[in-house]
Amino acid sequence: MPHNDLYFRVADATFRVHLTDIDDARPMLPSYAPFHQPDGCGEEELLFTMTVSDGAVPFVGRGTELGRFDCGDIVHNVFRTDDEGYRILMTDMAGRRRCAMDCGPQFRHCTATLYDGPDACPTEMAFGLGNALMLAFAFAGAYHNILLMHSSVTMVGDDAYLFLGTSGTGKSTHSTLWRRHIEGADLLNDDNPAVRVDADGGVWVYGTPWSGKTPCYRNLRRSAKALVRLQQWPENVMHRLPAVAAFAEVVSSSSVMMWDKPSYDGIIATATAVVQHVPVFHLKCLPDAAAARLCRDTIAAAYGR
C-alpha cells in the first residue's frame, strides 16, 4: 500500500488519510504509528476520509461564520457552508496559519490544506494535520457513540479511571500520583482519550494518537471504572455526583460543536449512556499520595469492595 495513503484504527473505528503531494506521510504522523492498519480497512465502513492537498482549501472563510474558538494551543475559525458542511481555519497562538479544512455532512469526507511556511519540517506540518484529524475524529465519532474527552486516564489491570478538569487542575499530577502510589497503575492517555459505548451498554476507554504534551500513544482499551472531576483544595474530600451533575461533567469534558445539532444530539445520547453505567465523582484534593488512595478507595466502595 502506498505510504501516502494510510489507514488508522482508533476506538474500534477506522479512518483514511490520503496526501496527494507527499510520497510518504508516516514521518508526519509518528504518534499514529501504533494505530496504523497496513492492510487497509477491508470491508469495514470508514469513520471518515481526510484528503490533504496543496491549494485545495484556501485560507479564507466560506459561508456563515459561527465563531472563533481558542482550544489551548490552536484557534479554530468555524464557518457553516451551504452544503451542510463546515470550513475550519486553524491558526496557532502566534497567529500563524496552520491548516484550512472543508468537512462534508457528518464529517465523513474532509479535505485539508496545510499552511506552515517555506521552512516547514514534517514536525511543523504535523501540527496542522494532527489538529485536523483530531477534529474530524471527534465530530465524525459523535455519530458512532464515541466521545473524545479532555482527560488524563490511568489504568489498573483491565480498568480505566478518567480524571477530568480544566487545564491546570492537576489531571496529569493525579495520574502520576496513582502510578507512584497505587500498585499496578499505568498511564493510558494524558489528554484526549476516546470513550465509546458499545451495543450492550459497555463503556470503554481507548488510547489515541492525541495525548497533549505527554507522549503516550497506546493502542489499548480498558473498561471505564469511574470518572473523577478534580479540584485543588486544602484537604482531600471526595463524593459521588448525582446524575444531573455527572452528566454535565461528561458533556463539558467532551469535544462538542453545539451548533451542529445532529452531532450534538449524538454526544448527548452517548454522555447519557456513560453516566448510566459509570459512576462520576468530585475529588477536592491536595497533590499528595493520600488523595490518590482516597480516590481509589472511594471508587472501590461504590462498587461494594
Side-chain angles (χ1 to χ4, degrees):
M1 182 174 296
H3 292 151
N4 67 334
D5 197 23
L6 303 175
Y7 291 80
F8 301 98
R9 188 168 179 81
V10 179
D12 292 330
T14 302
F15 58 90
R16 173 177 175 250
V17 182
H18 177 67
L19 293 94
T20 63
D21 304 295
I22 296 176
D23 293 332
D24 188 352
R26 293 173 299 174
M28 294 179 60
L29 299 167
S31 68
Y32 293 70
F35 306 89
H36 182 216
Q37 299 289 296
D39 297 325
C41 64
E43 299 298 319
E44 179 186 358
E45 182 180 3
L46 292 173
L47 183 67
F48 69 89
T49 295
M50 174 76 71
T51 300
V52 183
S53 183
D54 290 349
V57 185
F59 206 93
V60 294
R62 182 167 74 92
T64 303
E65 185 170 9
L66 299 178
R68 177 182 173 92
F69 305 94
D70 183 345
C71 299
D73 60 351
I74 196 162
V75 175
H76 302 115
N77 275 35
V78 181
F79 301 80
R80 190 193 303 274
T81 57
D82 295 337
D83 56 359
E84 299 183 356
Y86 295 93
R87 172 164 292 180
I88 304 175
L89 308 179
M90 306 175 206
T91 55
D92 63 21
M93 301 313 293
R96 293 175 296 186
R97 301 182 302 172
R98 290 307 191 109
C99 181
M101 177 170 66
D102 280 343
C103 310
Q106 299 187 11
F107 290 81
R108 292 189 62 185
H109 299 283
C110 305
T111 303
T113 295
L114 304 180
Y115 291 85
D116 290 289
D119 299 322
C121 63
T123 301
E124 285 291 310
M125 296 179 70
F127 180 83
L129 178 56
N131 276 278
L133 289 171
M134 187 167 65
L135 277 178
F137 180 88
F139 300 126
Y143 295 90
H144 298 271
N145 303 321
I146 299 172
L147 301 176
L148 192 65
M149 299 192 70
H150 185 47
S151 170
S152 182
V153 184
T154 291
M155 56 184 177
V156 181
D158 294 329
D159 298 328
Y161 304 83
L162 296 91
F163 304 125
L164 315 177
T166 57
S167 297
T169 300
K171 298 184 296 297
S172 296
T173 298
H174 196 75
S175 281
T176 299
L177 289 169
W178 273 60
R179 296 198 300 278
R180 289 176 179 171
H181 303 291
I182 306 299
E183 184 178 359
D186 200 0
L187 187 66
L188 177 60
N189 183 276
D190 204 34
D191 193 49
N192 282 286
V195 175
R196 188 166 194 173
V197 180
D198 66 23
D200 297 323
V203 182
W204 300 93
V205 187
Y206 297 78
T208 72
W210 314 290
S211 188
K213 297 178 181 178
T214 304
C216 183
Y217 314 110
R218 310 184 78 168
N219 191 3
L220 299 172
R221 81 167 189 171
R222 294 291 185 266
S223 177
K225 202 67 176 177
L227 297 93
V228 182
R229 169 68 161 87
L230 298 176
Q231 181 181 353
Q232 296 179 4
W233 202 252
E235 59 180 332
N236 297 321
V237 183
M238 185 169 175
H239 67 276
R240 185 170 178 176
L241 292 174
V244 173
F247 170 80
E249 290 294 347
V250 174
V251 173
S252 65
S253 297
S254 302
S255 297
V256 299
M257 292 208 320
M258 296 180 66
W259 55 85
D260 186 73
K261 189 176 187 305
S263 68
Y264 188 63
D265 287 347
I267 288 168
I268 294 300
T270 304
T272 300
V274 169
V275 301
Q276 287 174 342
H277 294 92
V278 183
V280 182
F281 300 86
H282 185 190
L283 173 61
K284 300 191 288 187
C285 63
L286 294 161
D288 59 15
R293 295 189 181 107
L294 173 65
C295 187
R296 175 201 59 188
D297 294 345
T298 304
I299 295 168
Y303 283 93
R305 296 179 181 176

